[in-house]
Amino acid sequence: MKRSPCLAPPFKIQERNLPKLELLRMSREQQAVACARKAFETGRSKSLEHRIRQLKNLKRLFAERQQEISDASKKDLNKSEAGTQLFETVGLEGEINLVIRKLKEWAAPRKVEKNLLIISDTVYIKPEPLGVVLIIGAWNYPWAVTIQPLVGAIAAGNAVVIKPSEVCVHTAKVMEELLPLYIDKELYPVVSGGVPETQELLRQRFDHIFYTGNSVVGKLIMEAAAKHLTPVTLELGGKSPCYIDKDCDISIACRRVTWGKYTNCGQTCIAPDYILCEPSIQDRVIEEVKKSIKDFYTENPKTCPDYGRIINQRHFKRIMAMVDDSTVAAGGDNDESDCYIAPTVLRDVKPEAKVMQEEIFGPLLPILPVSGLDEAIKFINKREKPLALYVFTANDKVIQKMVDETSSGGLLANDCIVHFSVSSLPFGGVGNSGMGCYHGKFSFDQMSHLRGCLIKQLKMEGMNSMRYPPHTMEKLGWVRFFLLRNLDLSSMGKMALLAALAVMAAVLFKMYLL
């Protein structure tokens, strides 16, 4: 299909798409949305070949421009090149490979069960694109949480307006420069900028909005979407609890918690936010965490290339203010000029402490003593539902009790964070931690309209007589028979059933004539 000219960064005016005067009246954000919608209306994004070509080009970007991606991540968050690939781009390459392999299967019509009334009809679900999707990315893992939903949106056949987070300044600039070089810049325009630009985008009509961030902004996104009845996927966060059972291997548990907590300097939406454990093991937990910090980040994490930095001074001050009324058991060193906060452990933390009032999103690990599993579950359930919940134990009954008696976006036993990398699991929140989910086929379905289709023929009109007036008890009896009877139909049985239905149709039609 021939590509029509449209707006691309910096959104130069093209007369063949929209009238010049109309474009001149538009903001840059309006132009981007108009560009994407015009490109979507050409129909080219619906072609499976086009979708796969775009995804292959996106994968090529990560192969050819890894140095630029890593350099920007280093400037924004002090991520090493290996760390950037490990936590950002390798997972995206795997996701793209999965989608390319499975797209034909996912996009195909899906068979559904039938009742007797529609046994001779064609009934299926047809996934179709929603239209123009807005993706608002986050700054902590700017490639992973911006491009992964983009992969799903492209796979589903949508046009997408991409809004990188302005907080990670260098990465946002690289995205704005590179994405149009590799994927269709008309279907997938990139809009950079801060709060005013985001607000202007939210005033436009989209067919879906995908946002990753915090619940405060999530509510504003939902409010703006409601004006156009636009569905949303909100990937938020919250205080993800971590219960450590006294009978587990505390050394291994703390090593995995330390990795999950301090990766990316604690700026991970599914990082373990705080530890719940019995008082008898608190000192052991502290010592094991301290040991793991030293193993991972050396005696001086500030000089370790694998230890990150807080994104900016505003967040630095926010995090440091949380320490005021708690006892530091390890770490605590900081340098505002470098946005550096050492891996820090807080002991004997009270539920009313400042560090327990909001998601930390930084390298502070509070430990709250509880009497045991029951008190831990009670503590968790009194608070908002978290995005993730972690439990470390050798006892399967403890795990099952946590599964049965709590609610969270995801639950992981005896490890942290790694469920994000499993494409066969839906990733998303519940309640205050978000709505909707993505990854793998869940991304495809989230970005699709699953359209129900029923194809009948203008035959066997006698079957319809039971639904036509005049309504009688006899007709109702036939309706109950056809609607409420469940049959497990084999291929052999279908032929016999169709013959029986033809006879019934003749009887019903004769009854109708009488």
Side-chain angles (χ1 to χ4, degrees):
M1 185 175 292
K2 186 177 179 181
R3 294 176 62 175
S4 61
C6 196
L7 305 175
F11 304 125
K12 295 178 181 178
I13 296 171
Q14 302 287 338
E15 293 183 21
R16 288 171 60 189
N17 263 356
L18 292 167
K20 184 179 290 187
L21 287 177
E22 182 181 345
L23 282 167
L24 288 172
R25 297 189 192 102
M26 288 183 175
S27 65
R28 188 169 64 102
E29 294 73 31
Q30 287 175 308
Q31 291 181 27
V33 179
C35 166
R37 193 165 296 282
K38 189 71 176 179
F40 178 75
E41 289 171 356
T42 67
R44 68 175 180 268
S45 68
K46 295 182 179 181
S47 160
L48 293 187
E49 291 76 15
H50 183 276
R51 303 183 206 182
I52 290 173
R53 184 165 56 250
Q54 298 306 305
L55 293 171
K56 287 182 177 178
N57 288 344
L58 193 56
K59 183 183 175 184
R60 188 163 55 85
L61 183 157
F62 299 124
E64 297 176 355
R65 302 298 185 122
Q66 188 62 58
Q67 193 60 54
E68 291 159 86
I69 292 170
S70 297
D71 289 347
S73 294
K74 180 70 174 178
K75 293 175 184 176
D76 286 329
L77 289 156
N78 198 43
K79 289 182 181 179
S80 65
E81 182 174 350
T84 296
Q85 292 190 47
L86 178 63
F87 293 106
E88 296 266 19
T89 59
V90 169
L92 292 175
E93 293 177 55
E95 183 85 352
I96 291 171
N97 288 341
L98 172 67
V99 173
I100 290 173
R101 190 170 71 250
K102 292 286 189 177
L103 183 57
K104 186 175 180 180
E105 173 188 329
W106 294 349
R110 305 175 188 181
K111 294 181 179 180
V112 298
E113 291 186 6
K114 301 179 182 181
N115 61 41
L116 290 175
L117 281 176
I118 57 171
I119 192 64
S120 63
D121 302 327
T122 303
V123 189
Y124 59 92
I125 296 169
K126 179 69 172 72
E128 64 179 22
L130 292 169
V132 180
V133 174
L134 171 63
I135 294 176
I136 304 176
W139 54 262
N140 57 332
Y141 294 91
W143 288 94
V145 300
T146 305
I147 303 304
Q148 191 145 4
L150 173 63
V151 169
I154 292 174
N158 299 290
V160 188
V161 176
I162 305 154
K163 172 61 180 66
S165 172
E166 73 283 2
V167 178
C168 50
V169 179
H170 302 92
T171 299
K173 187 173 185 296
V174 169
M175 277 191 192
E176 184 180 19
E177 292 173 352
L178 294 187
L179 284 174
L181 300 179
Y182 285 84
I183 58 176
D184 191 323
K185 61 188 178 182
E186 299 170 5
L187 276 168
Y188 318 115
V190 182
V191 176
S192 60
V195 174
E197 289 77 12
T198 303
Q199 290 174 333
E200 178 63 20
L201 278 173
L202 290 172
R203 281 190 277 269
Q204 313 310 310
R205 185 181 70 80
F206 290 93
D207 299 292
H208 195 92
I209 297 176
F210 193 108
Y211 167 74
T212 301
N214 62 65
S215 60
V216 174
V217 177
K219 292 174 183 178
L220 298 176
I221 300 288
M222 200 168 183
E223 182 179 353
K227 295 177 181 177
H228 299 290
L229 293 179
T230 300
V232 298
T233 301
L234 301 178
E235 296 298 336
L236 308 178
K239 298 183 74 63
S240 296
C242 174
Y243 176 69
I244 300 180
D245 184 27
K246 65 180 180 180
D247 295 326
C248 75
D249 187 324
I250 295 176
S251 178
I252 292 178
C254 290
R255 189 174 181 84
R256 294 179 184 181
V257 170
T258 301
W259 172 77
K261 179 62 182 182
Y262 300 114
T263 290
N264 201 31
C265 206
Q267 298 166 120
T268 304
C269 61
I270 49 174
D273 193 89
Y274 60 92
I275 289 175
L276 298 170
C277 67
E278 294 186 28
S280 62
I281 66 169
Q282 180 177 211
D283 288 341
R284 173 84 189 280
V285 167
I286 292 170
E287 289 307 310
E288 292 293 344
V289 171
K290 287 170 64 176
K291 180 182 176 183
S292 294
I293 290 171
K294 181 180 177 181
D295 289 346
F296 294 162
Y297 305 116
T298 74
E299 289 276 9
N300 186 7
K302 190 174 184 180
T303 63
C304 178
D306 290 316
Y307 188 69
R309 293 296 184 270
I310 303 304
I311 185 66
N312 56 35
Q313 290 187 338
R314 179 174 68 85
H315 280 282
F316 174 92
K317 292 175 181 177
R318 177 187 63 81
I319 295 165
M320 289 307 301
M322 295 180 180
V323 184
D324 291 347
D325 57 352
S326 295
T327 301
V328 175
D333 301 335
N334 62 90
D335 180 354
E336 183 174 348
S337 65
D338 191 29
C339 287
Y340 169 77
I341 301 175
T344 299
V345 182
L346 307 175
R347 66 172 300 138
D348 294 311
V349 174
K350 305 297 183 185
E352 61 272 15
K354 292 180 181 179
V355 75
M356 293 302 296
Q357 303 313 306
E358 63 178 85
E359 183 179 5
I360 298 170
F361 224 66
L364 309 180
L365 182 57
I367 301 178
L368 286 77
V370 292
S371 61
L373 178 61
D374 289 337
E375 186 179 351
I377 290 175
K378 186 177 180 181
F379 185 91
I380 293 166
N381 288 340
K382 279 186 176 180
R383 283 151 183 80
E384 297 284 2
K385 296 178 180 181
L387 185 56
L389 192 157
Y390 303 110
V391 52
F392 287 83
T393 181
N395 189 335
D396 290 342
K397 291 182 179 179
V398 171
I399 296 172
Q400 195 59 50
K401 188 176 177 68
M402 194 69 83
V403 170
D404 292 341
E405 298 184 16
T406 64
S407 178
S408 61
L411 181 143
L412 183 53
N414 297 321
D415 210 341
C416 293
I417 294 182
V418 294
H419 62 296
F420 184 88
S421 66
V422 182
S423 294
S424 55
L425 287 176
F427 181 82
V430 58
N432 207 60
S433 59
M435 61 182 66
C437 61
Y438 70 124
H439 287 193
K441 186 173 183 289
F442 300 100
S443 296
F444 179 87
D445 286 350
Q446 187 81 168
M447 301 292 189
S448 299
H449 168 55
L450 301 181
R451 188 182 193 184
C453 300
L454 186 145
I455 314 301
K456 299 181 77 73
Q457 296 182 4
L458 292 173
K459 297 178 181 178
M460 296 182 69
E461 181 63 4
M463 288 291 296
N464 295 326
S465 63
M466 68 183 79
R467 74 187 192 205
Y468 294 153
H471 301 304
T472 65
M473 296 305 295
E474 187 177 4
K475 289 182 179 181
L476 177 61
W478 281 107
V479 169
R480 292 182 63 85
F481 173 81
F482 281 103
L483 279 182
L484 303 183
R485 178 159 301 216
N486 295 321
L487 294 178
D488 182 15
L489 298 176
S490 64
S491 56
M492 290 290 293
K494 285 181 181 179
M495 296 297 293
L497 181 61
L498 285 173
L501 288 175
V503 174
M504 290 181 184
V507 171
L508 287 167
F509 187 65
K510 184 176 181 180
M511 180 182 67
Y512 176 68
L513 293 176
L514 295 175

